[in-house]
Amino acid sequence: MTTLSTHTPDGRPRARGLGIDLPGTPGLLNAITDVPGFEVGVTTLVEGDRMRTGVTALLPRGRAGVGDPCAAGWYSLNGNGEMTGTTWIEEVGALNLPIVLSNTHAVGACHTGVVAWVNRVHPGLARQWLLPVCAETWDGYLNDINGGYVRPEHVEAALDSATGGPVTEGSVGGGTGMNCYEFKGGNGTSSRLVGYGAHTFTVAAFVQANFGSRTELTVAGRPVGGALADDNPLGGDWFVTEMGQAPPPPGAGSVIVVIATDAPLLPGQCKALARRVPLGLARTGTTGSHFSGDIFLALSTAEAPGLGSAFPVGPPREDEFGSMRFLPWGRMDDLYTATVHAVEEAVLNAMVVNAEMTGRDGHRTPALPHDRLQALLR
């Protein structure tokens, strides 16, 4: 019997569906939408032989909750990438807008699209300043990244389509043209349940995976990349031929990770979760290439009235004080563990729920071979 934690709604296996032994207890969907209220939408753009890109939209409190602040923090393992809006998050410790992921040269279109969407859906909020989070990874091997394919209306479509429930993984949305460990990569997600006294909290990860060299790949603690090193058209000669310069070293690429939880946290505690993301990535083998932009955002969807960003009206009232409930710092370890394990599985899901893709100029990326991987793990 299969479940949504192990298989996609159409029956394809996820990492657990291949029998990969992974730690921790996932939520019902094993996805970021296990966090109550979280919604995900995608616009996938595949046309002809050059367009392989798209947009992923993440709404932490859903469409209705845009404008309500979430405690948030971010961390960069390596800054060879872009995530807008982070200076404001650093300043106030809060996020109140959607998060949008796409390709490197589409960040401007994504920013414009989020502003247009908020102006249409929440016009009162749009009268303030808007500093959306738009992040990217490079899909220029399979996609004509200078084709200008992602437009603001595609961003609005992804936001309009956002919903709870199962999350589509693999080559969809912003992950459409991405590669991971020189296999086909893209979108992946996973969640963990964390007991806390009488409470059960969810910690979940969403990744746009586009990083790692083939020989680094590690699955469930087993270094398997060397045994899967054949059939690797991303090896570098294409870059020399087309770009007229030395290829980037193996491992180049990027990864964006969003961590969400319903546990009540301070902004600094969210940042602490974001700092644990590299430990989950490392469990899949990467050592963090200089040519990979590895940027992470963590947020809590627990109520955070003390982080409200509305303009104050008149002088402060006598009782105008913010308040937040949060886990004691000494009780954070189980959330750290859940973050690390969810990130590891999200990366594997992005690779397992995928298929070979051919894109611009005949460039081909093979899929992770399920049967060979299972044989190696046995």
Side-chain angles (χ1 to χ4, degrees):
M1 181 178 181
T2 62
T3 68
L4 290 174
S5 68
T6 63
H7 288 71
T8 65
D10 62 4
R12 290 172 295 157
R14 304 172 75 193
R16 288 173 184 261
L18 290 186
I20 299 173
D21 185 20
L22 295 163
T25 302
L28 178 65
L29 302 174
N30 196 10
I32 201 165
T33 46
D34 283 321
V35 177
F38 209 104
E39 296 178 353
V40 179
V42 297
T43 299
T44 301
L45 301 173
V46 175
E47 184 178 316
D49 59 2
R50 300 184 68 80
M51 185 189 299
R52 303 288 186 274
T53 192
V55 180
T56 302
L58 308 175
L59 282 70
R61 297 193 186 279
R63 182 186 183 103
V66 173
D68 294 336
C70 296
W74 74 287
Y75 177 71
S76 171
L77 176 67
N78 190 59
N80 193 357
E82 182 65 89
M83 180 183 284
T84 69
T86 49
T87 52
W88 187 234
I89 291 172
E90 188 74 17
E91 185 72 25
V92 299
L95 166 79
N96 68 341
L97 293 173
I99 303 155
V100 171
L101 314 179
S102 189
N103 77 61
T104 307
H105 292 179
V107 171
C110 287
H111 204 280
T112 299
V114 173
V115 171
W117 183 83
V118 174
N119 191 55
R120 171 166 59 86
V121 176
H122 294 278
L125 181 64
R127 294 190 186 100
Q128 303 179 26
W129 68 91
L130 299 178
L131 298 172
V133 172
C134 303
E136 54 79 25
T137 60
W138 187 81
D139 61 10
Y141 175 74
L142 289 168
N143 177 55
D144 175 8
I145 199 168
N146 293 315
Y149 302 131
V150 175
R151 301 191 299 272
E153 56 263 35
H154 297 130
V155 180
E156 293 196 62
L159 289 161
D160 282 334
S161 73
T163 185
V167 175
T168 53
E169 294 172 299
S171 297
V172 294
T176 299
M178 305 304 171
N179 305 308
C180 190
Y181 291 109
E182 297 172 313
F183 287 115
K184 192 66 193 70
N187 292 358
T189 188
S190 183
S191 69
R192 292 295 184 274
L193 301 179
V194 177
Y196 187 80
H199 304 276
T200 299
F201 296 121
T202 300
V203 177
F206 184 95
V207 304
Q208 183 168 291
N210 189 56
F211 68 98
S213 67
R214 180 72 62 84
T215 56
E216 291 179 319
L217 177 60
T218 300
V219 177
R222 299 282 297 277
V224 298
L228 300 173
D230 58 308
D231 190 18
N232 185 8
L234 285 77
D237 290 345
W238 68 273
F239 197 91
V240 176
T241 301
E242 297 184 15
M243 310 298 184
Q245 54 186 297
S254 294
V255 57
I256 300 296
V257 182
V258 176
I259 302 296
T261 182
D262 57 348
L265 300 180
L266 296 169
Q269 293 173 318
C270 293
K271 192 178 188 75
L273 292 188
R275 288 200 305 267
R276 267 64 184 185
V277 168
L279 302 177
L281 297 177
R283 290 170 68 96
T284 67
T286 183
T287 53
S289 169
H290 171 72
F291 295 93
S292 182
D294 305 339
I295 310 175
F296 321 124
L297 173 69
L299 60 93
S300 167
T301 61
E303 291 301 313
L307 294 177
S309 59
F311 286 115
V313 178
R317 302 184 306 273
E318 270 189 37
D319 61 347
E320 191 175 341
F321 295 96
S323 62
M324 290 183 65
R325 188 172 70 149
F326 59 93
L327 269 61
W329 276 97
R331 298 293 187 182
M332 289 290 292
D333 280 358
D334 287 348
L335 273 68
Y336 295 155
T337 301
T339 297
V340 172
H341 292 166
V343 169
E344 175 188 19
E345 186 168 355
V347 171
L348 296 178
N349 282 337
M351 300 175 68
V352 171
V353 185
N354 230 314
E356 180 173 300
M357 179 176 283
T358 299
R360 72 168 184 90
D361 302 322
H363 290 178
R364 180 182 66 88
T365 301
L368 179 69
H370 292 181
D371 54 349
R372 292 178 63 188
L373 175 62
Q374 288 174 305
L376 289 168
L377 295 179
R378 283 195 295 267

